[in-house]
Amino acid sequence: MIRIGQFSTPQNSSLYLASRIGLHLRNQKSESLLTLQKRFCASATPGIRTTFTESLLLLFALGKLNFDPETDRLVYHENP
Amino acid sequence: MKILKISSDIPSFRSVKFNKNFSIVLGVAKSRGEGKSHNLGKTTLIELIDHILFGSRVSARIKAIKESFQNPVFRVDLLIDGEHRTVIADYSKKKKAAFSTEIKQAYEYFIRFQDDYKDEFRKVSIRGKDLSWKPLLLRLMGFNERPLVEKYEIEATIQDYDKFIEIAASSGMKREGRDEEITQLEARRNELLDAIGNLNFGNIEDSTSAQLASEIDANILSAKKELFIQRKELSAVTEAIRNTAFVEFSAERIEQIYSDLNIYFGDQLKRDLSDVQEFFIQITENRTTALNSMKKRILDRVYSLEEKVSNLNTKRANYLQLIVTPSSIDIYRQLSSQLAETETELSLLKQDIYKESIQTATNERNLLRTQQLTLAAKVATEIDEHDSKFREIKDQYRQIMSEVMDIDSEIDIEKNSTGNLDFRTVSWRDQSPSQELKGEMAKKISCAAFDVALRIVNNDDSGFIIHDGVIDNADKNIKKKFIEAMKRRAIEFDFQYIMTAISDDLPDSVENGDIVITLSDKSEKELLFGKSF
């Protein structure tokens, strides 16, 4: 689950990772999912992959990004 | 929940009032013969209901409706626990399902479309792995599905660990005493560089050639660098294609995450759960096309680079021939290839990608394996010991099958050695298994019988069940028996049975009141939407 509170660390908190990914995407406007995966979840243990996926779901649910499966690109929206 | 009526603000739409227990949506074609009873709106009606109540996928038909009519509004009147409730679907606004996922899942087996009669248990609409449907089926059959869900989740994690360990092992991190190795390799590299430096290039006659050769060296170096990057990219893409899903969440897990998000963000959330689920599927499973084209592009680039490098190499060899003695060339070749190898090994060693050690991962995985076995045993116990509801379902199924098709058949849950479950139906004739359920018609009836048996046992909400085209193509006798069997059960157990049928060969036992709407293409007026589109 999304962790926050006394046991959350920057490594396991999806909120934290989501904000990092969000900032990165805002600077890049759009980025391929593959690149994002390499940058934020390359050294993936299962735990980190879970956090990574959760952060994507979080950003998507907030309306901050869209995904185009044809080109494998995530596109960032500042004000959805 | 029963459906009382569906209507729309589209003036030409033909409202349909459903009976309390048994309704037939009838299609009549202008002329007899194959392929004539289509596009009347039978399936569209059911897709509309499915879409409005449970927010199912937007099918081609729903899309066509949205495109052909301006912002249509539909009303579905329902009877829930004795009270009336109206669901209004306004297509000008954002789509939102009227009922929660829980109820949607409970109705998974109570709406079947024409292409859903191939398998009793795995419907066409169910995509994805076992996790997405077997637990649900167990729950509907009256078992506690928790152990199975946990087992699947643990198995997915074990797989993740396996992959992780494999990758970690192959990238050489199992070696210990790395620092020492790095020092050794660095010493080796320096030796090689010295050796190359000391080569006897004494016979240099043409300084221009030497310069040209070193320019080519620079080109080769940059080409090789790019080649290296592209190859890494290629392996990343290949890896991504191979592991289609880099993490597996169950639908429940996503729902849980979503409800957590609701706590943190509340109104800030802009998308609803179904969108998020769709997105999850897209980013985990549906990426193959994009990745494949990416792979092709990279491959092309790699080939052209390789060709370039080999061309340059030939050129350089030609130039070098001019400036060094033959024996030096051989030595240079040897040394440079050794140097390249050493460099590669060094850079691999220095890359500290994997922070966790394989040992920890292996231990955790073994722990999970033990848990997996415990859970497999739990699943088996659950199925053996709490099967009162399941026995009832089996009983109802058997009765319907013998009544309609005269086939002695039963539903069976098979547990294999790894604790996986297989659902199947078996038919018997003269005390040995028979092939009777393999036939298309028998399979259709079997699917319907299974749904109805489930409905009878799970009928706390006096709900509905819809079968689209279940007895099309059946012979008259089967049609008669099937309709009688369904009608009697619908009244006896108080559920609402709705089916679509074509008018050919309908048995006499069908009363006029049973037919709630007759759709026909004799004139546009008689189509569901009052016009064709």
Side-chain angles (χ1 to χ4, degrees):
Chain A
M1 291 320 93
I2 297 210
R3 271 175 278 196
I4 189 168
Q6 58 177 327
F7 297 118
S8 70
T9 67
Q11 280 71 42
N12 68 16
S13 161
S14 318
L15 293 179
Y16 176 85
L17 186 62
S19 51
R20 278 178 60 207
I21 295 177
L23 278 173
H24 174 78
L25 279 178
R26 191 181 65 180
N27 292 333
Q28 304 288 328
K29 305 286 185 272
S30 76
E31 182 77 283
S32 87
L33 180 54
L34 191 69
T35 317
L36 216 58
Q37 222 173 314
K38 275 188 286 187
R39 180 180 286 256
F40 290 98
C41 130
S43 62
T45 58
I48 291 176
R49 287 192 207 173
T50 306
T51 314
F52 176 72
T53 314
E54 279 178 0
S55 1
L56 288 184
L57 292 184
L58 163 62
L59 286 170
F60 179 78
L62 286 174
K64 291 283 181 197
L65 51 84
N66 266 349
F67 181 63
D68 176 18
E70 295 297 311
T71 52
D72 200 44
R73 285 194 96 72
L74 287 158
V75 183
Y76 181 80
H77 302 291
E78 180 66 53
N79 293 312
Chain B
M1 155 168 49
K2 287 196 171 75
I3 306 171
L4 299 176
K5 188 183 169 189
I6 177 166
S7 54
S8 166
D9 70 341
I10 300 171
S12 57
F13 182 82
R14 298 179 63 193
S15 298
V16 186
K17 271 190 192 157
F18 292 98
N19 294 330
K20 182 167 165 276
N21 291 119
F22 186 75
S23 314
I24 296 181
V25 173
L26 192 68
V28 181
K30 193 158 37 183
S31 48
R32 291 173 60 97
E34 212 175 334
K36 294 288 185 194
S37 300
H38 294 302
N39 277 325
L40 306 176
K42 298 188 308 268
T43 304
T44 312
L45 180 67
I46 290 158
E47 281 191 2
L48 258 180
I49 292 175
D50 192 18
H51 188 251
I52 292 170
L53 297 186
F54 305 122
S56 58
R57 234 150 240 289
V58 180
S59 65
R61 285 191 181 87
I62 304 274
K63 239 183 223 160
I65 293 173
K66 282 186 181 173
E67 280 161 10
S68 312
F69 300 94
Q70 193 131 37
N71 301 330
V73 179
F74 293 94
R75 285 165 59 103
V76 180
D77 296 319
L78 299 169
L79 186 69
I80 302 176
D81 296 333
E83 289 179 18
H84 287 256
R85 177 171 159 194
T86 303
V87 172
I88 295 180
D90 184 347
Y91 280 123
S92 65
K93 293 186 187 133
K94 220 173 114 204
K95 171 206 112 190
K96 209 175 171 202
F99 292 99
S100 65
T101 318
E102 202 183 321
I103 297 182
K104 181 184 173 184
Q105 286 188 341
Y107 273 82
E108 181 70 53
Y109 288 92
F110 298 146
I111 298 183
R112 246 184 229 265
F113 291 97
Q114 279 166 11
D115 51 356
D116 267 339
Y117 297 100
K118 306 230 160 43
D119 190 317
E120 290 89 345
F121 310 107
R122 180 166 194 156
K123 287 178 63 194
V124 178
S125 56
I126 300 172
R127 302 173 313 144
K129 305 196 168 157
D130 289 356
L131 175 59
S132 59
W133 61 281
K134 286 189 175 168
L136 169 66
L137 198 53
L138 270 195
R139 188 169 76 216
L140 293 175
M141 287 175 166
F143 299 108
N144 175 10
E145 83 280 19
R146 242 6 268 174
L148 186 64
V149 174
E150 280 170 29
K151 181 173 158 284
Y152 281 137
E153 279 172 359
I154 282 187
E155 277 165 6
T157 321
I158 291 178
Q159 268 183 12
D160 282 348
Y161 271 112
D162 282 345
K163 269 180 222 159
F164 171 69
I165 292 168
E166 191 190 324
I167 294 169
S170 65
S171 64
M173 72 163 281
K174 58 189 169 186
R175 280 179 261 173
E176 285 179 359
R178 245 184 221 212
D179 286 343
E180 202 180 315
E181 207 167 336
I182 288 177
T183 338
Q184 274 179 10
L185 279 169
E186 266 168 352
R188 170 118 185 90
R189 181 179 59 178
N190 290 339
E191 275 171 26
L192 283 168
L193 282 174
D194 282 348
I196 291 173
N198 290 338
L199 268 182
N200 178 17
F201 291 100
N203 287 3
I204 297 173
E205 288 171 342
D206 188 350
S207 59
T208 345
S209 298
Q211 200 195 343
L212 283 175
S214 73
E215 264 171 27
I216 288 172
D217 266 348
N219 282 340
I220 290 179
L221 192 66
S222 79
K224 272 194 172 163
K225 257 185 198 160
E226 200 191 332
L227 196 60
F228 178 71
I229 292 168
Q230 295 286 355
R231 279 196 179 134
K232 278 201 106 171
E233 190 85 16
L234 185 64
S235 73
V237 174
T238 317
E239 177 76 2
I241 293 177
R242 200 151 51 91
N243 307 322
T244 42
F246 53 87
V247 64
E248 282 180 39
F249 288 170
S250 60
E252 283 167 351
R253 178 89 190 268
I254 296 179
E255 214 174 319
Q256 220 164 350
I257 293 173
Y258 190 77
S259 70
D260 280 3
L261 285 177
N262 244 324
I263 297 175
Y264 299 133
F265 297 100
D267 287 346
Q268 283 174 278
L269 291 188
K270 299 284 191 267
R271 323 255 177 145
D272 51 35
L273 178 61
S274 60
D275 288 341
V276 173
Q277 279 166 338
E278 177 98 343
F279 173 72
F280 176 74
I281 292 172
Q282 280 183 345
I283 58 167
T284 50
E285 290 174 16
N286 293 351
R287 297 175 53 206
T288 331
T289 332
L291 290 175
N292 275 331
S293 73
M294 222 181 273
K295 185 176 177 180
K296 191 172 172 301
R297 216 170 47 236
I298 297 172
L299 272 178
D300 288 348
R301 184 76 190 128
V302 166
Y303 288 141
S304 79
L305 279 170
E306 275 171 352
E307 206 178 298
K308 187 174 164 193
V309 169
S310 90
N311 280 343
L312 284 170
N313 269 331
T314 337
K315 250 190 191 170
R316 181 179 61 176
N318 290 341
Y319 283 129
L320 280 180
Q321 245 157 7
L322 296 173
I323 56 176
V324 295
T325 57
S327 62
S328 304
I329 295 178
D330 289 341
I331 298 170
Y332 178 76
R333 267 192 200 136
Q334 234 174 13
L335 287 179
S336 64
S337 76
Q338 280 180 26
L339 184 64
E341 266 170 37
T342 319
E343 294 271 17
T344 326
E345 223 165 309
L346 253 181
S347 67
L348 273 180
L349 274 178
K350 280 182 176 168
Q351 267 178 353
D352 193 13
I353 300 180
Y354 300 98
K355 301 226 164 39
E356 266 100 326
S357 76
I358 292 184
Q359 194 57 44
T360 331
T362 317
N363 286 344
E364 280 176 38
R365 184 191 59 186
N366 292 345
L367 208 66
L368 287 173
R369 284 217 173 118
T370 325
Q371 281 181 31
Q372 179 200 4
L373 288 180
T374 324
L375 283 168
K378 252 195 198 170
V379 171
T381 322
E382 177 68 27
I383 286 168
D384 290 338
E385 289 179 3
H386 300 110
D387 62 344
S388 58
K389 207 169 167 185
F390 180 54
R391 278 208 305 267
E392 222 177 303
I393 294 174
K394 277 169 84 149
D395 197 35
Q396 292 289 352
Y397 171 80
R398 178 193 297 240
Q399 282 179 27
I400 299 172
M401 285 309 284
S402 75
E403 197 177 318
V404 180
M405 298 295 293
D406 187 29
I407 296 177
D408 177 18
S409 56
E410 64 171 350
I411 304 172
D412 199 16
I413 302 182
E414 207 178 51
K415 306 179 286 272
N416 69 18
S417 56
T418 53
N420 277 333
L421 297 181
D422 275 325
F423 298 92
R424 39 176 216 157
T425 49
V426 202
S427 56
W428 301 87
R429 181 77 48 184
D430 301 331
Q431 278 150 30
S432 55
S434 74
Q435 301 289 316
E436 286 159 292
L437 284 175
K438 297 275 192 287
E440 191 194 355
M441 204 56 229
K443 199 76 197 170
K444 269 183 153 182
I445 301 292
S446 167
C447 289
F450 170 67
D451 295 352
V452 172
L454 263 191
R455 178 82 268 176
I456 290 173
V457 176
N458 290 296
N459 200 27
D460 293 342
D461 67 338
S462 307
F464 66 78
I465 178 163
I466 304 179
H467 283 151
D468 182 19
V470 56
I471 50 169
D472 296 355
N473 307 332
D475 67 47
K476 195 165 185 175
N477 193 27
I478 291 179
K479 278 186 178 173
K480 179 163 175 277
K481 285 185 186 163
F482 182 80
I483 287 176
E484 280 168 9
M486 293 302 125
K487 202 167 166 182
R488 206 182 57 244
R489 281 176 177 78
I491 295 168
E492 186 183 342
F493 297 99
D494 189 28
F495 60 87
Q496 185 184 30
Y497 188 84
I498 299 171
M499 61 186 276
T500 69
I502 41 181
S503 64
D504 299 349
D505 291 340
L506 267 197
D508 305 332
S509 53
V510 172
E511 293 161 23
N512 272 343
D514 292 338
I515 297 171
V516 291
I517 186 170
T518 308
L519 301 166
S520 155
D521 56 3
K522 277 183 195 128
S523 69
E524 292 237 322
K525 271 207 319 264
E526 290 173 70
L527 296 170
L528 180 64
F529 278 81
K531 66 174 207 170
S532 51
F533 58 90

